């Protein structure tokens, strides 16, 4: 699967660097071309000679190679690679990557790279669970870098928990799957809504909800990877997307989201509405900030327009429509009702009762109910894996 692929590996100073020679060998066996960059600290754990022998290429470390008198161009290296894999990545390098501190060649290449970047952390479990590390990982994944999650197990410190760098075989498998992505959405235009909406009360306050947008963004990324041209209508969220196949339209209110969707729906093949749209918005938006008074305050609300229901009315026989349902009671019955009332091809049910599912989490547990009322429950998975399940089901039903 990796025949002819150019893999650039960045190695930082963790004991897990001992796995990199195995990784290089496996990649070469799969037909990849491999170049390796090491940080100064990495050389204490694995020798450049081992890595250059196995990769068949000189191992680079500093900006300037004293033996050849040559300046190493981080831009050229970034352009050369089809993928940049930073493994193992220490907590320190995670912090520098997340903040763009390019004080070595490995990080300068990261900032210059145009290719996809995977990173495989390795550290002790307390360091891995520290909020600073978690924030850095969040920052890096939010801008499109792909996390290879560390495994649970015995760590070099003797502690047991998460922090072991993923095994070389699994890393190679992950890269193979990435390069082997089916292009089964090629030439398909897809509209996706994601995130919450904010309904203004006055110039400083709004009615909103806890939706993070992660599920919709994960679906957008998955479909774009598989060849779709995606229009992503996003409410106010703090995540980014960088795929060239994704055109993002940022909106705030339910009305703005409605208008954005209506203006492009006739042109799309598939619409997937994951957004948590406010059902009500204030009847009147106060022009000035509402001042505090001693008595209670009532705000008159009016219903917003239901985007999904309207797209269900407008949809032609050639168009496919997917809705989401977030339920807290009578989940299946309510979801089936929405499926029918809104004229959907299928509905994705997620329950707030499931641990690790729903708003804000990186995981989700869904059930898909199709037009024939066939109910398919799925396991709790990462939102990326859930996006794959949803994409597979769309292709299966859309093409049949
Ligand atoms: N939805 C929409 N526009 C709205 C409200 C909801 O497009 N104004 C979409 C959501 O994106 C989701 C689906 O409708 O795909 C279901 O949303 P949900 O809030 O679960 O259901 P509602 O139809 O709003 O019903 P209720 O809140 O009463 O459960």
């Amino acid at each position: 699967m990796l025949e002819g692929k150019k893999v650039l590996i960045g190695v930082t100073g963790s004991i897990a660097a001992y796995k990199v020679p195995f990784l290089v060998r496996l990649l070469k066996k799969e037909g990849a071309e491999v170049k390796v960059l090491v940080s100064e600290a990495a050389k204490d754990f694995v020798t450049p000679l081992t890595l250059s022998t196995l990769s068949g290429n000189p191992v680079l470390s500093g900006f300037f190679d004293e033996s050849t008198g040559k300046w190493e161009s981080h831009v050229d290296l970034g352009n050369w690679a089809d993928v940049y894999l930073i493994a193992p990545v220490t907590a320190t390098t995670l912090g520098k990557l997340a903040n763009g501190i390019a004080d070595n060649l490995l990080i300068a290449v990261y900032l210059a790279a145009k290719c996809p970047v995977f990173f495989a952390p390795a550290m002790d479990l307390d360091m891995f669970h520290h909020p600073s590390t978690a924030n850095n990982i969040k920052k890096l994944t939010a801008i499109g870098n792909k996390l290879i999650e560390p495994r649970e197990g015995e760590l070099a410190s003797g502690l047991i928990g998460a922090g072991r760098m993923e095994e070389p075989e699994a890393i190679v498998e992950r890269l193979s799957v990435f390069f082997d992505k089916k292009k089964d959405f090629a030439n398909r235009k897809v509209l996706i809504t994601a995130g919450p909406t904010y309904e203004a009360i006055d110039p400083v306050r709004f009615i909103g909800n806890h939706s993070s947008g992660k599920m919709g963004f994960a679906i957008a990324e998955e479909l774009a990877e598989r060849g779709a041209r995606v229009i992503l209508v996003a409410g106010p969220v703090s995540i980014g997307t960088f795929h060239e196949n994704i055109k993002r339209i940022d909106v705030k209110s339910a009305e703005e989201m409605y208008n954005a969707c209506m203006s492009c729906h006739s042109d799309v093949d598939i619409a997937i509405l994951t957004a948590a749209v406010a059902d009500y918005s204030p009847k009147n938006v106060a022009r000035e900030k509402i001042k505090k008074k001693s008595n209670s305050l009532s705000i008159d609300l009016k219903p917003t327009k239901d985007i999904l229901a309207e797209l269900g009315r407008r949809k032609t026989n050639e168009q496919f429509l997917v809705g989401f349902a977030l339920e807290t009671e009578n989940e299946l019955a309510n979801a089936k009702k929405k499926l029918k009332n809104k004229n959907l091809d299928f509905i994705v049910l997620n329950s707030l009762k499931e641990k690790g599912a729903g708003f804000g989490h990186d995981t989700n547990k869904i059930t898909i109910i199709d037009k024939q009322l066939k109910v398919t429950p799925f396991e709790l998975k990462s939102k990326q894996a859930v996006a794959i399940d949803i994409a597979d089901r769309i292709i299966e039903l859309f093409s049949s």
Side-chain angles (χ1 to χ4, degrees):
M1 290 307 164
L2 295 171
E3 193 62 49
K5 295 286 180 237
K6 295 182 181 119
V7 182
L8 184 63
I9 306 180
V11 188
T12 71
S14 152
I15 180 65
Y18 83 87
K19 294 181 182 176
V20 177
F22 298 96
L23 181 61
V24 174
R25 273 196 59 199
L26 286 174
L27 288 167
K28 293 283 288 183
K29 250 171 96 180
E30 292 290 320
E33 234 183 288
V34 181
K35 285 189 183 177
V36 184
L37 292 171
V38 291
S39 69
E40 271 311 304
K43 293 181 195 166
D44 290 336
F45 297 94
V46 61
T47 71
L49 182 60
T50 308
L51 296 170
S52 64
T53 308
L54 291 172
S55 67
N57 278 311
V59 168
L60 307 168
S61 182
F63 287 103
F64 183 70
D65 183 346
E66 281 174 15
S67 61
T68 61
K70 201 178 141 226
W71 169 258
E72 298 302 348
S73 164
H74 50 285
V75 177
D76 288 352
L77 279 165
N79 283 339
W80 173 84
D82 292 318
V83 64
Y84 187 18
L85 166 66
I86 309 179
V89 57
T90 58
T92 307
T93 299
L94 277 179
K96 290 187 198 171
L97 292 169
N99 292 289
I101 302 169
D103 65 353
N104 65 29
L105 181 65
L106 189 150
I107 301 168
V109 170
Y110 163 74
L111 292 183
K114 298 213 172 54
C115 59
V117 176
F118 285 74
F119 63 104
M123 65 199 74
D124 216 27
L125 84 161
D126 294 325
M127 291 174 83
F128 184 66
H129 288 303
H130 194 280
S132 295
T133 309
N135 274 335
N136 289 331
I137 290 178
K138 218 180 209 174
K139 258 179 150 178
L140 288 169
T141 52
I143 54 172
N145 299 297
K146 296 171 200 326
L147 169 68
I148 300 178
E149 278 185 57
R151 289 225 191 162
E152 302 250 336
E154 193 176 334
L155 302 164
S157 62
L159 294 173
I160 295 181
R164 279 168 68 113
M165 187 180 92
E166 181 54 286
E167 296 305 321
E169 291 78 4
I171 295 179
V172 172
E173 168 73 19
R174 179 83 184 267
L175 294 184
S176 301
V177 169
F178 175 75
F179 282 116
D180 190 36
K181 270 270 180 237
K182 299 169 268 187
K183 295 292 176 204
D184 47 2
F185 280 82
N187 304 322
R188 300 282 182 215
K189 269 195 166 181
V190 185
L191 166 67
I192 297 174
T193 66
T197 63
Y198 286 180
E199 310 304 321
I201 296 172
D202 68 15
V204 291
R205 302 172 180 103
F206 58 84
I207 299 172
N209 60 66
H210 295 297
S211 170
S212 63
K214 284 179 188 166
M215 193 64 251
F217 275 60
I219 297 172
E221 291 277 342
E222 175 63 19
L223 299 195
E225 290 284 354
R226 285 162 76 159
R229 272 172 300 143
V230 178
I231 300 170
L232 176 61
V233 180
V237 292
S238 57
I239 48 179
T241 176
F242 293 90
H243 202 290
E244 58 191 8
N245 286 2
I246 301 177
K247 179 181 161 210
R248 176 169 168 174
I249 302 172
D250 285 308
V251 297
K252 269 216 177 90
S253 65
E255 188 168 0
E256 284 172 18
M257 190 172 273
Y258 178 93
N259 291 336
C261 290
M262 295 312 141
S263 68
C264 60
H265 180 250
S266 62
D267 206 26
V268 303
D269 305 297
I270 298 160
I272 308 163
L273 272 57
T274 75
V277 189
D279 287 331
Y280 293 92
S281 68
K283 242 183 190 163
N284 301 303
V285 181
R287 228 185 283 174
E288 305 300 336
K289 185 180 165 206
I290 300 171
K291 298 305 281 179
K292 183 166 57 186
K293 299 204 180 82
S294 52
N295 52 350
S296 62
L297 170 76
S298 306
I299 300 171
D300 257 345
L301 301 176
K302 61 174 194 294
T304 56
K305 291 182 203 153
D306 192 321
I307 306 166
L308 186 60
E310 183 56 31
L311 295 191
R313 277 189 285 276
R314 294 185 182 201
K315 149 174 122 76
T316 65
N317 288 340
E318 283 71 48
Q319 287 179 309
F320 196 88
L321 184 58
V322 177
F324 269 63
L326 185 70
E327 304 292 341
T328 55
E329 54 178 357
N330 302 325
E331 290 135 332
L332 266 181
N334 281 334
K336 284 179 184 171
K337 219 192 276 171
K338 282 180 194 170
L339 171 82
K340 194 163 170 288
N341 290 348
K342 300 193 187 189
N343 188 26
L344 310 180
D345 291 284
F346 72 72
I347 193 156
V348 181
L349 164 67
N350 41 100
S351 163
L352 273 186
K353 282 185 187 155
E354 302 281 356
K355 208 167 161 256
F359 284 170
H361 292 285
D362 291 326
T363 48
N364 204 1
K365 183 167 178 357
I366 61 157
T367 302
I368 291 182
I369 306 149
D370 68 21
K371 254 179 167 169
Q372 276 66 47
L373 300 185
K374 186 175 150 210
V375 176
T376 316
F378 291 82
E379 298 296 313
L380 182 75
K381 298 178 181 188
S382 71
K383 286 188 171 166
Q384 280 70 28
V386 172
I388 295 173
D389 290 336
I390 292 171
D392 287 347
R393 182 52 69 88
I394 292 174
I395 277 297
E396 185 192 320
L397 294 175
F398 189 49
S399 333
S400 64

